[in-house]
Amino acid sequence: MSLALTLASRNLFYDRLRFIATLVGIVFSVILVMIQMGLFLGFGHMVSTMIDHASTDLWVVPRGAKCFEDSPLLDLKMRDRIAAVSGVTATIPLVIGFSDWRLESGEVTPVFIVGTDLRDGALQPWNVVGGNVQALSERGAVAVDRSYFDRLGVTGVGSTAEIRGHHVRVVAITDGIRSFATTPYVFVDLKSARSYTGTLNDRASNLLVRLNPAADREKVLQAVRAQAGDAEVLTPDEFRSRSRSFWLFGTGAGAALFAGALLGVIVGTVIVAQTLYSSTKDHLSEFATLRAMGSSNRYIYNVIIYQALLNAVIGFAIAAGLGAVVVQITAKSALPIVITPWLMAALAVLTVVMCVASAIGAIVRVVRIDPATVFMR
Amino acid sequence: MKDPVIEAKAITKTLGRGAGEVQALRGIDLSLRRGELTLLMGPSGSGKTTLLLILGCMLAPSSGEVMVCGAPTSQADKEGLAKIRRDHIGFVFQSYHLFPTLTAVQNVQLALDIRSERRRKARERSRQALKMVGLEQKTNALPLELSGGEQQRVAIARAIVANPSVVLADEPTAALDGSNGKTIMRILATIAHEQQSAVLVVTHDPRVLPFADRIIQIEDGRLVDERSGERERVRMPRSAAFGAD
Ligand SMILES: Nc1ncnc2c1ncn2[C@@H]1O[C@H](COP(=O)(O)OP(=O)(O)OP(=O)(O)O)[C@@H](O)[C@H]1O
Ligand SMILES: [Mg+2]
C-alpha cells in the first residue's frame, strides 16, 4: 500500500465525525438513487408481466394501442386471412377488460379479466400454488392471486362470487401475479371473458399469433402485417417496450423517478465535495509540506482522490447492504424494487464518479498552496 | 575547492506591494559546497528566511540567478521547481511539520514515497535514517508521543533520507532547550562532514557556533561579514552519540 493511501485513510479516519457525516451523505444518496432506479426497473417489469408470460410470437393489437391494458377492441375479420399465411400455426384471441366482482357479502370491487382459449395455453396463469388450471375450462371457473384474497373475499379454492351476475368459483390460486394498478387480475377462459366484459364474438382485445419455428420469421411477419389491415403487428419485444415507454414516460412516472435519482446524485456530490474540501483545508499545511519536500502535484492529487475513493468504497458497501434489505422488504409489495446486477454495477460506478467529481473542489484549492508558507509558521 | 551545489548570484527580492513594499534582499552572492556546515546569522527581519526560500527554490528572486548543481532554475515552472527540490534539497523547519497521523518511520518514508521508491526498500532506508539520528527505538511512535527534540530529529531524518546534495534548515533549534539544540546541531554537522552534503542553518543561537565551518552575517538584505567557523572536530560513532540526554 502506498503511503499516499495510508495518509488518505488517516486523514479520513482522523476526523471521525466528518467521516461519518460523509458516509451518511453517500449512503443516503446511493440508497435514494438505488430505490428510484429499482422502482423504475420494478415498474418496467410489472407493466410488461402479461406480455412476458404470454407464449406467442406476434401480437396483433388495435392500431395505436399504447400498452397491454389499453384495449380498444380489434375486429377479428382478418383472423382467417392471418391464419392462412404460410408459417402461422395458431391465431389465439385474447379478451381483457375491467369488470365487477361481487363478494358474497354483497360488496362490489373492480377486477381485470384476462381470458384466452385454455386449450391453446397462450396466456395461462403461472406460479400456480393451489387448485388446477385445467379446471378453468369449466363453466364459471376463475383463477385469482392469493395476494388479493381479502379484497375478493376469497379464502381458497372453492370460494365463490359473482361477476356481472354470473356465478363464479375459484379453481386455481396463483402467487405474485400482481397488477401495479392494484386492480386484481382474474383469469378465465375466452368464452367467460366475453360475457364478463361484454365483448362480442367477432371482437377481441388482441390476437396472439404463433409461428412455425422453422419458418423465416421476418418473411412471415411481413406477410402477417400485409393481412392485418388496420391492426398493428408487434413482436413481444416491441409490445413490451411500447408498454414500458407508455407507463414510464407517457405518464411521467419514469421522469419523476429519474428526477428523484438525479436529486440523490446532486445531494451526494454536494455533501462529499463539501466534506472533502473542508478536510483538505484542514490539512493544507501538510499538503504544503509535501510540496516543499518536492512532491509533484500528482502525488497530492492522489492523496485527495484516494480519500474520495475510500469514501466511495465504504459508502457503497454500506448502501449495498442496506439496499439488499430494502429489496427483501419490498419483494412482496405491490411495487417491488428490482435491483439487478447491472443496476448494482452502475450504482458502484456512479458512486465512484460522484466521489471523484467531488474531489475537484479540493484539488483546485490545493493547487494554489504555496510551499513557502511552511517556513512562515 | 569543490564545485558549489548551490550558487546564488546577485539575488534581490522585493516583498509586498505599494506602501508595504520591502526590499528583503539587496544583491546577494553566495555559494554552498558539499561537506560544509554554513551558519546564516542576522537580526530579525534581515532576510534570512527569504534567502533560504530562494536558495531552496521555493521562492523566485526578483533578479539574479540561483544555480542548483550547475543548472539554472529561473526557467523552471512550479512542477520543475518541485522536481529540483525533490532531486537535490532537504528541508528542516523550525516547527518540524511532521504529519501527525503518521508514525516516525512513515514520516521519513514519505520523503521516499514521493520519489516513487519501492515500499520495502524505502522502509529499510527510513529505519537507517532514524538510526542515524538516534531514534531507532521510536520508529513506530506518533509525533505527539515524541519530545520536541525527537520530533526535530525525525524531521532531519526525513530531510536526509533521500541523500540530498543540500540540507536547508531554518532555526531548527529555536524551539529546543540547550542539550536538545546541541544534539540537533551535532547531527547536522555529521550530515555535512560524513555524508558530504552542503548544510545551511539559519539561526540566532550563539550556542551553535562551535559546529560551523563558515559563518555568514546578513543585515538588512546584504551579506555583511563572512568568517570561518571554530568547529570542534565531531568524531563519534554514528548512532550512539545522538540519544537525547
Ligand atoms: N510577504 C511579505 N510581504 C511583505 N514583506 C515581507 C513578507 N515576508 C517578509 N517580509 C519582510 O521581509 C523582510 C525579511 O523577512 P525574513 O522573514 O526573511 O526575515 P528573517 O531574517 O527570517 O527574520 P526572523 O529572524 O524574524 O525570522 C522583513 O522585513 C519582513 O518584514
Ligand atoms: Mg525567519
Side-chain angles (χ1 to χ4, degrees), chain A residues 1 10 291 294 299 375 377, chain B residues 58 79 86 95 113 119:
Chain A
M1 190 167 70
R10 300 272 165 88
R291 200 72 176 128
Y299 188 91
F375 280 89
R377 262 165 294 167
Chain B
M58 293 222 270
E79 279 299 290
R86 187 157 75 235
S95 44
D113 205 54
R119 191 177 170 82

Side-chain angles (χ1 to χ4, degrees), chain A residues 375-376, chain B residues 44-45 47-50 94 170-171 202 204:
Chain A
F375 280 89
M376 309 309 180
Chain B
S44 184
K48 303 181 295 294
T49 298
T50 308
Q94 178 180 338
D170 196 5
E171 314 216 26
V202 168
H204 288 293

Side-chain angles (χ1 to χ4, degrees), chain B residues 137-225:
Chain B
Q137 307 297 337
K138 305 266 178 154
T139 50
N140 290 319
L142 290 171
L144 272 179
E145 300 161 357
L146 297 172
S147 73
E150 288 169 334
Q151 290 187 48
Q152 191 60 299
R153 283 190 272 160
V154 174
I156 293 175
R158 174 176 75 183
I160 61 167
V161 69
N163 278 326
S165 327
V166 193
V167 173
L168 302 176
D170 196 5
E171 314 216 26
T173 62
L176 302 175
D177 65 31
S179 64
N180 273 311
K182 248 186 175 161
T183 308
I184 296 300
M185 284 313 296
R186 245 184 226 141
I187 294 168
L188 289 169
T190 312
I191 290 162
H193 303 141
E194 296 189 14
Q195 303 208 328
Q196 295 294 305
S197 296
V199 179
L200 176 73
V201 178
V202 168
T203 187
H204 288 293
D205 184 354
R207 292 172 305 184
V208 308
L209 286 173
F211 300 93
D213 297 293
R214 220 177 136 201
I215 298 157
I216 299 167
Q217 284 287 337
I218 183 170
E219 256 166 53
D220 201 16
R222 286 195 186 84
L223 298 188
V224 292
D225 183 35

Side-chain angles (χ1 to χ4, degrees), chain A residues 3 6 10, chain B residues 98-110 123 130 138-143 145-146 154:
Chain A
L3 268 181
T6 310
R10 300 272 165 88
Chain B
L98 297 178
F99 290 70
T101 59
L102 299 182
T103 63
V105 71
Q106 285 172 328
N107 264 287
V108 178
Q109 202 181 328
L110 200 53
R123 195 146 184 110
L130 280 176
K138 305 266 178 154
T139 50
N140 290 319
L142 290 171
E145 300 161 357
L146 297 172
V154 174

